[in-house]
Amino acid sequence: MTERQVRVSLLVWRPRDPDHPGDLSAGWPRVLQVRTGAGPWQVPSVLLRAGEPLMAAAERTAYALGLTLPNAHRVLAVDQRAPTGREPEELIVIVDGGWVAGDDVPAPDGARCACSPACPHQRRWAGTDALADDVGLASALGAAVAAIPAFIVNTWPAGDTAPHPAPRHGWHARHPTPRDRRNSPPGA
């Protein structure tokens, strides 16, 4: 049997115009990427722990970035990666981390992470050219920016997890507002 793991990735994006986050006339938004040392740049992610709810893993990732998840919890894409070398097969679940304005997540190219002074992580805002080889991530960004209905997770008031398929008609009536989809630093 092949070893498998589930990775929960958090897509956090910065629109070209924060006043109109869905406007692509100035170009596609930039995507937050992180890396440790000289490792590859990738969107922030964690491995799903045994028995851990999907959104709890997404919250762990957001917390490490100093953010809170948007009000609408959405899975934007699911991608499967074949095993490579000693790495196991991965199922990657890309969760909507919302969008941020310019200074919500300081990440000048190659800057050290703010989680602690000794943290080895680096952050950057990557353009869509850096996503060209990642079909799952590119699809997730398109769904996030265009507010395409996605698989909704944990929306019941009682906290019960109840997945809902995208409605066929009138989805815009339940379409999240820009503030619902925006990812805010704690206390904002």
Side-chain angles (χ1 to χ4, degrees):
M1 178 183 229
T2 305
E3 184 181 346
R4 293 184 181 117
Q5 62 188 20
V6 177
R7 178 171 299 281
V8 179
S9 295
L10 191 64
L11 179 67
V12 178
W13 54 284
R14 187 175 74 186
R16 302 285 178 156
D17 180 1
D19 292 330
H20 307 308
D23 182 4
L24 300 178
S25 62
W28 278 86
R30 299 176 70 78
V31 173
L32 183 66
Q33 290 186 322
V34 297
R35 76 175 178 180
T36 302
W41 287 102
Q42 57 190 6
V43 294
S45 64
V46 296
L47 291 177
L48 187 66
R49 297 173 180 158
E52 180 180 32
L54 181 69
M55 294 314 295
E59 287 173 354
R60 277 195 296 129
T61 307
Y63 178 80
L65 296 169
L67 300 171
T68 56
L69 291 178
N71 295 335
H73 297 166
R74 302 184 320 145
V75 172
L76 300 171
V78 177
D79 195 5
Q80 186 172 10
R81 304 254 169 96
T84 56
R86 293 181 177 239
E87 296 295 317
E89 178 182 14
E90 279 191 328
L91 181 65
I92 301 166
V93 180
I94 304 170
V95 174
D96 188 358
W99 62 273
V100 297
D103 296 331
D104 286 349
V105 178
D109 284 352
R112 293 279 180 210
C113 180
C115 60
S116 79
C119 180
H121 300 109
Q122 295 175 315
R123 297 178 178 190
R124 76 173 183 181
W125 288 106
T128 53
D129 56 327
L131 312 178
D133 294 334
D134 192 332
V135 175
L137 192 55
S139 297
L141 180 60
V145 173
I148 295 170
F151 189 78
I152 307 297
V153 181
N154 197 20
T155 59
W156 288 29
D160 295 329
T161 300
H164 300 280
R168 291 195 177 116
H169 302 289
W171 71 271
H172 57 292
R174 293 190 347 206
H175 175 65
T177 65
R179 182 69 192 155
D180 287 341
R181 292 180 53 235
R182 183 175 178 176
N183 189 325
S184 304

